[in-house]
Amino acid sequence: MKIVANGISMNYEMAGSGKYFTLIHGAGDNLNAWYNQVPVFSQHYNVLTYDVRGHGQTELPEGKVATELWVDDLFALLNALNIRQTFLLGHSMGGAIALRFTLAYPEMVNALILSNSVGLNSMSHRELLSLEDYRNTQIEAIKKKGMGAVFQERYRHMFSPGFIEKNPEIAEHYKSILLKNDPHGYIRVLNGLGSTHKTSDLSIITCPTLIISGEYDLFLGLSIGKIAQKSIRDSQLQVFPTGHAPALEQPSEYNDTVLKFLAGAAH
């Protein structure tokens, strides 16, 4: 479905009933990435998924793309849908959006789930330069080969060792999700991803918070989740024996963990 929010046409889907639960996908993904989660979560909640600006079918006008703009988009989308409070789950880049949104609008977030999230740690100058080099390499590859180049680079880091060889159908399905994105739009997203690595004062978060990490996450190591868990008061840390995408790699366990956390947070 489409709705105008923050001056653009945003693509979203809603399923289920009850309290609202908003899911924010990672960079290069789109709302289809939650295909294992929506059918389960919507049995308990009114689940909102949407294409972040620069992804899927959400409009991408000219101008700079950055975390602050994505936060504004989410705020406008929720208001356009008359959602005053929601549980919030963000994966990777989506975690940075969820984190900044919670800091900006704490009264709107009933509970926060940061899944393999960007923006939880301070990075050294050398680490930031390394990430910039990685993004530039991706941009050049996308210019030559389209979104297929993203998959070729990503699948080696996205999953735990040996998972793709044992589950090629999951890899192919994930590839089909990536290919739904416009390569030119994703290049603009890559240029804006540096803004997701700005650190925030995590100690001021007061809502119930769950941090999810992957033991074999080569994008965002387990140490990041451990540091964040110590920084966010009374937060919980759940470690999966997966790569960067536990929602894809271990969906049943992931869904159970999330639902159990939300059941406790609702009381």
Side-chain angles (χ1 to χ4, degrees):
M1 295 183 284
K2 300 289 181 65
I3 193 169
V4 175
N6 203 23
I8 64 171
S9 174
M10 297 188 69
N11 186 51
Y12 75 98
E13 293 182 0
M14 295 190 74
S17 61
K19 293 183 177 181
Y20 290 104
F21 186 15
T22 303
L23 314 182
I24 313 173
H25 64 75
D29 297 338
N30 48 65
L31 60 79
N32 296 285
W34 300 111
Y35 69 94
N36 286 313
Q37 282 65 56
V38 172
V40 177
F41 294 164
S42 61
Q43 296 177 35
H44 306 271
Y45 300 99
N46 196 342
V47 179
L48 167 65
T49 56
Y50 71 101
D51 291 335
V52 174
R53 184 188 296 239
H55 302 79
Q57 299 178 51
T58 287
E59 186 179 2
L60 180 63
E62 293 301 318
K64 184 179 179 181
V65 179
T67 310
E68 293 78 12
L69 182 58
W70 287 323
V71 169
D72 291 343
D73 287 343
L74 176 56
F75 178 75
L77 175 62
L78 294 176
N79 276 278
L81 296 172
N82 294 313
I83 298 174
R84 302 304 174 209
Q85 288 187 318
T86 182
F87 297 114
L88 195 56
L89 189 166
H91 170 255
S92 196
M93 175 198 76
I97 298 171
L99 173 62
R100 302 278 188 84
F101 183 89
T102 301
L103 293 171
Y105 305 103
E107 72 283 356
M108 296 183 69
V109 182
N110 298 116
L112 175 64
I113 304 170
L114 300 169
S115 182
N116 305 78
S117 177
V118 179
L120 296 180
N121 70 318
S122 57
M123 305 187 75
S124 68
H125 181 65
R126 178 179 295 180
E127 289 173 321
L128 289 172
L129 287 177
S130 177
L131 283 173
E132 184 177 354
D133 287 342
Y134 176 74
R135 287 195 295 269
N136 289 336
T137 299
Q138 280 199 83
I139 288 171
E140 291 305 313
I142 293 167
K143 287 178 179 178
K144 296 177 182 179
K145 301 179 182 179
M147 286 301 294
V150 178
F151 175 78
Q152 291 174 2
E153 174 62 32
R154 181 174 291 193
Y155 84 92
R156 292 176 293 178
H157 304 85
M158 203 73 176
F159 303 99
S160 60
F163 180 81
I164 290 300
E165 290 74 15
K166 297 176 182 176
N167 302 275
E169 72 286 353
I170 294 178
E172 283 303 308
H173 187 68
Y174 181 59
K175 181 179 180 179
S176 72
I177 292 171
L178 293 179
L179 292 177
K180 293 181 185 296
N181 294 315
D182 174 66
H184 301 291
Y186 187 55
I187 286 174
R188 290 176 58 191
V189 169
L190 287 171
N191 283 323
L193 280 183
S195 65
T196 63
H197 295 285
K198 295 178 182 177
T199 56
S200 304
D201 184 0
L202 305 183
S203 67
I204 66 176
I205 296 175
T206 58
C207 68
T209 302
L210 171 65
I211 300 162
I212 294 175
S213 293
E215 184 179 355
Y216 302 101
D217 187 345
L218 299 182
F219 283 125
L220 299 166
L222 176 56
S223 61
I224 294 175
K226 290 181 176 179
I227 293 171
Q229 193 273 327
K230 293 179 180 178
S231 301
I232 301 175
R233 183 172 46 191
D234 298 326
S235 61
Q236 302 175 33
L237 173 64
Q238 178 67 47
V239 181
F240 287 89
T242 67
H244 189 59
L248 294 174
E249 198 167 336
Q250 288 198 335
S252 295
E253 295 85 350
Y254 186 91
N255 295 346
D256 288 346
T257 296
V258 169
L259 289 175
K260 182 179 179 180
F261 167 74
L262 292 181
H267 293 90

